[in-house]
Amino acid sequence: MSTIPFATALEQLIAALRATDGVTVMTAEIGAPCTEPDIQRAQEALGHPLSDAFLAYYRSANGAQLAWESPAGSGGFTLVPLPNLLTDSPGYMFGIDFVEPGESSIPLLGGTDEHGLRQRLAVIDAYAKDGNEYPTVALVKDDSADPLVIFPNDACAALCDFHPMLATSYFEMLLATAGHRDAIYDFAQRGYAADHEAITWGTDEWRSLGAPGHYVQWLQQRGDVLQGYAPAMSELAQALRSGTSPADLDPKRWIEMRYGHAYPG
């Protein structure tokens, strides 16, 4: 987790966005800390304990909302409070009509009962990412103390288009990118391979992107860099295919390989 409380980091991010030319902040709300009784009830409902590293984010801010726009794009997040996350929406059945019980043809997380997996999902961030109009970030409700986040995609109701990401890494990604709606393409892209480990970047790695709001400023400066997307993406995909782990590429290097464009700072 960040060396400063999550709520404080969110406050700094919101202030940086409001001070950035061309950025309009429409919504900025930070929830009060989650109470220990709420944490206990949530863990009882889940059936196993959650790690202190994961719970630290909710102990600082039990839910948060941010929405911003700029000429370079938009972003934000709607983090669901912990009690709601684990009790109000059991079985987030994303695309359940695409799979049958016992089906395991989609190689998410190395192969699994796809139907069973979808029954263990819950929305953790209700803000639409990558252009989808439904919650696109889900938390795997398995027996892990450090939950994984996965990224549904509307292409054939797939759950396998992006790297899984440790939930704590996802929170740090939100801080580093201000929840830019296309950031999962920058950092959670599978690179057209099916067997890579989850992204587990911590605070130090995400700091490579600079101060709060710096990523949004870079989005506004990169201009026509997207024209170089295809060849740059091929370089990244080849690196992943050859055995490079996502953890071997910090966020700054990931951006540079994906776009073939130097990240400032």
Side-chain angles (χ1 to χ4, degrees), residues 126-150:
Y127 186 93
K129 300 296 193 297
D130 82 334
N132 291 323
E133 297 305 320
Y134 44 79
T136 57
V137 180
L139 179 71
V140 179
K141 297 170 64 178
D142 58 10
D143 59 357
S144 173
D146 293 298
L148 286 175
V149 166
I150 59 177

Side-chain angles (χ1 to χ4, degrees), residues 13 24 33-34 63 76 88 94 102 114 123 139 153 169 195 199 211 236 246:
L13 170 61
T24 301
C34 192
D88 285 1
F94 171 81
E114 185 80 1
V123 176
L139 179 71
N153 185 281
S169 293
D195 56 356
I199 292 175
L236 176 58

Side-chain angles (χ1 to χ4, degrees), residues 38-261:
D38 277 342
I39 290 173
Q40 182 64 32
R41 283 191 291 270
Q43 292 184 120
E44 289 174 354
L46 185 61
H48 65 83
L50 294 162
S51 74
D52 285 340
F54 175 73
L55 291 174
Y57 291 89
Y58 294 93
R59 287 188 168 111
S60 181
N62 188 27
Q65 293 187 62
L66 174 67
W68 58 270
E69 291 182 348
S70 80
S74 61
F77 42 80
T78 303
L79 294 177
V80 177
L82 184 66
N84 304 66
L85 173 70
L86 298 178
T87 60
D88 285 1
S89 57
Y92 174 57
M93 304 295 278
F94 171 81
I96 194 61
D97 53 331
F98 284 83
V99 293
E100 299 293 333
E103 183 176 338
S104 57
S105 60
I106 299 178
L108 176 69
L109 306 182
T112 188
D113 174 357
E114 185 80 1
H115 188 279
L117 176 89
R118 291 170 190 250
Q119 289 182 308
R120 300 197 303 275
L121 299 180
V123 176
I124 190 172
D125 179 359
Y127 186 93
K129 300 296 193 297
D130 82 334
N132 291 323
E133 297 305 320
Y134 44 79
T136 57
V137 180
L139 179 71
V140 179
K141 297 170 64 178
D142 58 10
D143 59 357
S144 173
D146 293 298
L148 286 175
V149 166
I150 59 177
F151 302 86
N153 185 281
D154 60 358
C156 300
L159 293 175
C160 61
D161 289 353
F162 302 97
H163 287 291
M165 183 180 288
L166 202 66
T168 50
S169 293
Y170 180 71
F171 295 142
E172 294 297 330
M173 183 185 80
L174 294 179
L175 290 175
T177 68
H180 175 52
R181 66 187 298 129
D182 293 330
I184 61 171
Y185 286 121
D186 285 349
F187 306 111
Q189 180 59 259
R190 184 175 289 279
Y192 311 115
D195 56 356
H196 294 297
E197 64 193 71
I199 292 175
T200 58
W201 288 319
T203 304
D204 290 342
E205 286 87 356
W206 285 111
R207 280 179 178 164
S208 74
L209 294 185
H214 188 60
Y215 177 81
V216 175
Q217 296 171 32
W218 176 76
L219 288 175
Q220 298 186 119
Q221 296 166 358
R222 72 186 192 188
D224 61 355
V225 67
L226 289 177
Q227 293 180 7
Y229 165 78
M233 187 64 200
S234 297
E235 180 185 0
L236 176 58
Q238 182 57 42
L240 295 173
R241 288 194 193 101
S242 66
T244 299
S245 164
D248 294 334
L249 301 172
D250 66 20
K252 185 175 183 179
R253 181 60 179 146
W254 187 282
I255 276 186
E256 292 176 339
M257 290 190 71
R258 184 175 186 273
Y259 290 110
H261 180 72

